[in-house]
């Protein structure tokens, strides 16, 4: 496998250099950008496996960069946010970011989050093809585990890496009720929830993409006071 290539966009040189240093220690290839316009130019000129985006950047901010990347790619996106910018966190997740971390952060945790995203997006996706079943099909919903594609209502829908992993986790455990903590542990590879808005935003976005009526969902249902479960009629045809 070719080296994993990561794009780091942050206007703080110290953070850029530190992230690049630690990620390259893990044998990732890292490019850096000091503003949003530079990040977009690099992304358009190269092939990246993951993007780390600071929200507060000059020229083009991280929210707009994320929006533009999502129009053309499902590359995993990890956003860096200021601790008191709650609205920006939620907005970033709602437009397609897969995960976020608040500043100041532990550099080792950033590396761990990157590894988790890479494992899910690259390694796990390729391993599924060797384990027999590569497609999960329900009435009106088809999930291709090898190609990382989803078809809902006869049309292909575009999911972020994290949205796909969340849907896959639900669909492979139908009928089971999961708390937010359990979802965070299994899909985000973390033992604690930094902010349960993360779960709610991803489920809301996922419902909009796969449900006929997101306000009355068929597949991802809320179990009040507990969490969520996946239901749906299996397609045996």
């Amino acid at each position: 496998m070719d080296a994993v290539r990561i794009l780091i966009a942050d206007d703080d040189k110290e953070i850029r250099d530190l992230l690049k240093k630690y990620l390259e220690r893990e044998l990732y290839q890292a490019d850096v950008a000091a503003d949003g316009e530079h990040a977009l130019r690099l992304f358009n000129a190269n092939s990246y496996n993951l993007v780390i985006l600071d929200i507060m950047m000059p020229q083009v901010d991280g929210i707009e960069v994320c929006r533009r990347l999502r129009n053309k790619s499902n590359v995993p996106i990890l956003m860096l946010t200021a601790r008191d910018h709650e609205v920006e966190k939620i907005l970033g997740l709602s437009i397609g970011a897969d995960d976020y971390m608040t500043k100041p952060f532990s550099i080792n945790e950033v590396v761990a989050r990157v590894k988790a995203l890479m494992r899910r997006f690259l390694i796990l996706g390729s391993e599924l093809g060797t384990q027999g079943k590569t497609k999960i099909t329900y009435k009106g919903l088809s999930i291709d585990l090898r190609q990382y594609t989803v078809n809902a209502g006869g049309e292909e829908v575009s999911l972020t890496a994290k949205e796909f992993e969340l849907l896959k986790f639900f669909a492979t455990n139908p009928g089971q009720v999961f708390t937010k903590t359990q979802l965070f542990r299994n899909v985000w590879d973390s033992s604690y929830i930094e902010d349960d808005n993360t779960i709610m935003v991803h489920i809301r976005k996922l419902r909009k993409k796969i449900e006929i009526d997101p306000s009355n969902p068929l597949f991802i249902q809320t179990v009040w006071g507990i969490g969520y479960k996946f239901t749906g009629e299996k397609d045996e045809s």
Side-chain angles (χ1 to χ4, degrees), residues 145-179:
L145 304 178
R146 185 197 298 267
Q147 299 296 325
Y148 259 62
T149 57
V150 174
N151 187 291
E155 296 183 1
E156 185 170 330
V157 296
S158 177
L159 302 185
T160 68
K162 192 62 69 178
E163 288 168 352
F164 184 90
E165 291 302 328
L166 182 60
L167 177 60
K168 182 182 71 177
F169 181 73
F170 273 128
T172 53
N173 296 280
Q176 185 172 344
V177 179
F178 293 99
T179 65

Side-chain angles (χ1 to χ4, degrees), residues 6-90:
I6 297 172
L7 173 59
I8 303 165
D10 196 303
D11 62 342
D12 187 318
K13 185 178 186 302
E14 184 176 353
I15 290 178
R16 290 197 309 271
D17 292 346
L18 191 63
L19 287 172
K20 179 178 175 66
K21 176 181 177 181
Y22 274 78
L23 289 171
E24 289 183 341
R25 283 184 181 179
E26 299 295 328
L27 302 182
Y28 296 128
Q29 184 177 340
D31 296 337
V32 297
D35 58 67
E37 284 189 358
H38 188 197
L40 289 168
R41 289 198 302 272
L42 284 174
F43 190 87
N44 290 332
N46 302 286
S47 177
Y48 291 102
N49 305 106
L50 183 139
V51 177
I52 300 176
L53 279 179
D54 181 34
I55 285 184
M56 302 300 292
M57 290 190 295
Q59 308 299 328
V60 181
D61 66 28
I63 294 293
E64 180 59 24
V65 173
C66 181
R67 194 192 316 274
R68 294 187 193 181
L69 295 188
R70 275 293 164 258
N71 287 335
K72 65 178 70 176
S73 172
N74 68 339
V75 62
I77 297 174
L78 172 62
M79 300 205 79
L80 307 178
T81 75
R83 185 171 297 277
D84 59 343
H85 289 186
E86 187 67 25
V87 173
E88 284 84 352
K89 295 175 192 175
I90 296 172

